[in-house]
Amino acid sequence: MSDKKVISQSELLMIANHIIQDHDDYIEGMRTDSVEEKEGVLVFKGNYFLDDNGLPTPKTTAVFNMFKYLAHHLSKEFTLES
């Protein structure tokens, strides 16, 4: 049995974006706009700050690391409602 709290996508996105804005590595415009759950892991998505050719920029790594941080910490606590 899981001790995870069942939560809606919209509630989880609100929590995740609050965490992002309060984090030391926050970059202006960084936010998550979708989340899904795959095999118990929450996967966050949003703007990756790619350049005009679709290639990564220095900000891309920061966004990737932030979404990984969210997945690592929030997946322990929450599961998406069906």
Side-chain angles (χ1 to χ4, degrees), residues 48-57 60:
Y48 277 94
F49 296 100
L50 302 176
D51 69 14
D52 292 338
N53 296 317
L55 299 173
T57 66
T60 303

Side-chain angles (χ1 to χ4, degrees), residues 4-9 11-13 15-16 32 34-45 66-81:
K4 293 182 179 184
K5 179 182 175 193
V6 177
I7 191 168
S8 71
Q9 285 185 342
E11 288 176 303
L12 185 56
L13 288 172
I15 291 167
T32 180
S34 69
V35 61
E36 58 186 278
E37 191 168 2
K38 293 186 179 183
E39 298 181 18
V41 177
L42 297 168
V43 179
F44 294 89
K45 296 179 182 177
M66 183 66 71
F67 290 170
K68 181 179 170 184
Y69 172 83
L70 292 173
H72 181 72
H73 289 282
L74 296 178
S75 293
K76 295 177 192 174
E77 188 175 347
F78 298 105
T79 187
L80 291 176
E81 66 185 10

Side-chain angles (χ1 to χ4, degrees), residues 6-28:
V6 177
I7 191 168
S8 71
Q9 285 185 342
S10 60
E11 288 176 303
L12 185 56
L13 288 172
M14 200 164 47
I15 291 167
N17 282 314
H18 182 76
I19 291 170
I20 290 170
Q21 289 181 333
D22 286 348
H23 198 278
D24 289 342
D25 294 330
Y26 171 74
I27 297 170
E28 184 68 35

